[in-house]
Amino acid sequence: MNRRECLALLGTIVALPSSVLAQQPARRLGVLSVTAADDAIGQARSTILVEALAGQGWKERDNLKIDWRSGGGDRGRIAQLADELIALKPDILLAVGTPSVEELRRRTTTIPIVFAVVTDPVSQGFVENLAHPGGNITGFTDYDGPLAGKWLEMLTQVTPPVRRVLVVYNPATAPFAPLMLRTIEDAARTLHVTVEPAPLHDPAAIGALASRKDGAILVLPDFFTMANRAQMLSAIAQARVPAVFWSRTFVDEGGLMSYSTDSAEQLRRAASYIDRILKGAHAADLPVQNPTKFELALNLKTARALGVTLSPGLLAIANDVIE
């Protein structure tokens, strides 16, 4: 090919639309979330993820196909949806919540899995260690060691004083609860508070909380409690006892107080890992990252309804106070 022919060919290439030059087969992302798709939390998280991926250059219905699956806090349903996603042969998976990771890892050791809003992935066997995950799984945790003790400490800053605390969780969807309970029990000895584990195995058991008129309630991170939060908040309101929660969503909907990580930030960070893996990085080489942002939310309207007072120290450090 002579010089004139080369220049003619280059001119033809330059004249092609950029969309044609950039056109590549769409990649496929499977998303398995524990929350319900029609839940406000699930919808908000979907929006955050789509926006974060677009910021990385991955646009849904353009160069990225996203298969959404939401379990609504039902462990059996989550397992069924995991089967569906694996059958679609995605390039990468996003697991939101511990049960989602558990079900997906049982079904694949080759498809990369990025997780978010997951507690203690090392003890649960998801990764070898935080710095070097190994295998096909990495992501972002929603918990650091002292967090559970802080929840209990918050309850001791309520007047009248709290002396007994019921710790609520579902063992099926919160297998990490023993880790948190150890931290809470250690803190209880220092704070001179009695702690009582209260495992709930199904939504029908939530109503029994209304009869607990003594002490206070601490709700552990658990997508079962999130999926059934309306029923839980109603039972706690009937009991008229102070309660602390793991997500500010509870406070927005009438709970007394929460101290939590920023799950929206975790999804944004997860999008960056999805981008890197789709561009050739290996999950085994991307370190698991702990939360970096925390927020304290208080609901003074609920405090007045319960007839309790929150300490000035607690109010002074709150990120958000609902009047």
Side-chain angles (χ1 to χ4, degrees), residues 9-10 30 33 70 103 106 159 190 224 254 262 265:
L9 179 60
L10 286 172
S33 175
S70 303
E103 295 301 338
R106 290 173 182 169
T159 304
T190 302
F224 168 85
D262 187 340
E265 179 64 18

Side-chain angles (χ1 to χ4, degrees), residues 164-287:
R164 184 180 187 85
V165 176
L166 200 68
V167 182
V168 176
Y169 62 97
N170 184 336
T173 50
F176 45 78
L179 167 74
M180 295 183 176
L181 282 169
R182 287 194 295 272
T183 301
I184 292 169
E185 288 164 353
D186 288 342
R189 286 189 284 272
T190 302
L191 297 169
H192 307 291
V193 176
T194 300
V195 171
E196 178 185 341
L200 301 176
H201 296 276
D202 60 72
I206 293 175
L209 294 176
S211 65
R212 300 301 299 248
K213 307 294 185 181
D214 58 326
I217 292 176
L218 191 163
V219 180
L220 291 185
D222 183 350
F223 283 94
F224 168 85
T225 59
M226 178 63 80
N228 297 283
R229 65 185 181 279
Q231 187 177 350
M232 180 161 290
L233 285 167
S234 176
I236 292 173
Q238 290 181 54
R240 291 185 57 82
V241 296
V244 63
F245 301 91
W246 61 276
S247 169
R248 69 157 295 146
T249 300
F250 290 88
V251 177
D252 290 337
E253 298 180 8
L256 178 62
M257 54 187 175
S258 66
Y259 186 60
S260 60
T261 58
D262 187 340
S263 59
E265 179 64 18
Q266 289 183 55
L267 288 173
R268 295 186 188 99
R269 297 167 77 192
S272 70
Y273 269 17
I274 291 169
D275 170 60
R276 292 174 66 177
I277 291 171
L278 287 175
K279 290 177 178 175
H282 297 286
D285 300 327
L286 299 176

Side-chain angles (χ1 to χ4, degrees), residues 36-37 39-51 264 267-268:
D39 183 274
I41 301 302
Q43 293 175 348
R45 287 176 172 170
S46 298
T47 299
I48 290 165
L49 179 64
V50 168
E51 291 177 350
L267 288 173
R268 295 186 188 99

